[in-house]
Amino acid sequence: MDSQFYTRQDAEMSPIDSVAKRRLTNLEELPPRDTKRWVVRRKAAVVNGVRDGLLTLEQACARYGLTAEEFHSWERLIDQHGVRALRVTRLQDYR
């Protein structure tokens, strides 16, 4: 990491939080097409992939068998509560 951009906040950032800030640059960084187990990191990667322009919403939905509503719910949770809100066990706390 370039020291001029390194902050204390970066040092204290959990791996889960760092996923949301990471810019994706190629499709290999996305979860596999046959993903069945959607952990926080994978959900955040798909949202980042769409936001970074690697694929469109329609492509993401087709690639992963998602509905637009499901994708938008992940996006809303990230925007309103942060990446940690994507944890299924915590979902009720954020609704």
Side-chain angles (χ1 to χ4, degrees):
M1 181 179 282
D2 191 350
S3 62
Q4 71 181 357
F5 296 110
Y6 185 78
T7 65
R8 181 183 169 113
Q9 182 180 6
D10 292 332
E12 296 172 356
M13 189 180 306
S14 77
I16 290 175
D17 294 328
S18 67
V19 169
K21 296 186 180 254
R22 190 166 155 234
R23 183 161 177 83
L24 302 178
T25 57
N26 63 61
L27 291 174
E28 286 89 34
E29 295 177 275
L30 292 171
R33 291 176 181 267
D34 61 349
T35 296
K36 299 288 184 242
R37 187 166 179 262
W38 284 100
V39 296
V40 171
R41 178 179 38 83
R42 291 178 184 151
K43 292 175 185 178
V46 172
V47 171
N48 285 350
V50 172
R51 288 181 172 179
D52 292 344
L54 282 180
L55 68 170
T56 66
L57 171 61
E58 293 78 18
Q59 290 170 326
C61 289
R63 181 179 176 118
Y64 297 110
L66 305 172
T67 64
E69 180 181 358
E70 185 173 20
F71 176 86
H72 288 304
S73 74
W74 295 352
E75 205 170 35
R76 252 188 327 278
L77 285 167
I78 291 171
D79 292 344
Q80 293 173 359
H81 305 288
V83 176
R84 292 173 186 259
L86 294 172
R87 288 183 54 200
V88 173
T89 58
R90 307 295 297 170
L91 193 55
Q92 288 300 328
D93 293 346
Y94 298 105
R95 285 197 170 175

